[in-house]
């Protein structure tokens, strides 16, 4: 069954109003109830720090504080949850920074060692080429 076809309506514009007339202006007040945002427990970040970057057991401590923050949030103690969540965030930041610094130091040390080994092998090859002894002697 096809829907009925209606003719198109053409309504001419009566005029353009940039603003409402003074007598018809109505002021409306809107009240918005701002409920405080529930505190964050940073549980995912704590799990990642615990599993992948756990320097000085900071990831474990952050995970414990995240779990405490979640428990406080469920119990309805939002201030306690906020405190535990803030502590977990600080511990996560420290764990992430220490892990990042450690990774950077390891990368730099690896590059330096590889460069030194390459230079040493080149120096040994140069000595062998200029050696007065013939190591390719076949008698």
């Amino acid at each position: 069954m096809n829907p009925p076809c209606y003719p198109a309506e053409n309504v001419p514009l009566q005029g353009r109003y940039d603003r409402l007339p003074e007598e018809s202006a109505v002021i409306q007040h809107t009240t918005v109830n701002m409920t405080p945002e529930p505190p964050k427990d940073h549980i995912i970040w704590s799990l990642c720090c615990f599993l992948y970057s756990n320097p000085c057991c900071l990831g474990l401590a952050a995970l414990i504080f995240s779990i405490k923050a979640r428990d406080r949030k469920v119990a309805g103690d939002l201030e306690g949850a906020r405190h535990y969540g803030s502590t977990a965030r600080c511990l996560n930041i420290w764990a992430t920074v220490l892990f990042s610094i450690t990774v950077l130091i390891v990368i730099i040390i690896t590059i330096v060692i590889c460069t030194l080994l390459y230079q040493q092998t080149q120096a040994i090859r140069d000595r062998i080429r200029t050696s007065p002894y013939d190591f390719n002697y076949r008698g």
Side-chain angles (χ1 to χ4, degrees):
M1 182 169 166
N2 293 334
C5 278
Y6 297 107
E9 292 184 21
N10 293 329
V11 179
L13 296 175
Q14 299 296 324
R16 184 170 176 212
Y17 295 101
D18 291 335
R19 59 189 166 109
L20 293 173
E22 296 295 326
E23 62 271 4
S24 66
V26 177
I27 298 174
Q28 296 179 353
H29 295 282
T30 305
T31 304
V32 178
N33 293 331
M34 299 289 291
T35 58
E37 184 178 324
K40 296 183 179 181
D41 52 12
H42 305 286
I43 193 81
I44 302 296
W45 191 9
S46 298
L47 278 171
C48 290
C49 284
F50 175 65
L51 292 175
Y52 300 115
S53 62
N54 197 10
C56 305
C57 293
L58 289 175
L60 176 63
L63 182 62
I64 290 170
F65 277 98
S66 293
I67 292 170
K68 285 183 178 184
R70 182 163 284 191
D71 289 344
R72 292 285 88 208
K73 186 167 42 171
V74 169
D77 180 16
L78 295 182
E79 191 58 39
R82 195 169 287 113
H83 174 71
Y84 283 128
S86 173
T87 305
R89 188 185 74 223
C90 289
L91 291 171
N92 282 326
I93 289 171
W94 277 105
T96 304
V97 166
L98 286 176
F99 180 73
S100 300
I101 289 172
T102 304
V103 166
L104 283 173
I105 289 173
V106 167
I107 290 172
I108 291 170
I109 289 174
T110 304
I111 290 171
V112 168
I113 288 174
C114 288
T115 304
L116 290 174
L117 286 174
Y118 178 75
Q119 289 175 353
Q120 289 296 320
T121 55
Q122 288 298 100
I124 290 171
R125 286 182 187 159
D126 289 343
R127 283 188 200 148
I128 290 174
R129 286 188 200 133
T130 60
S131 174
Y133 303 107
D134 186 13
F135 293 109
N136 295 323
Y137 176 74
R138 296 175 197 199

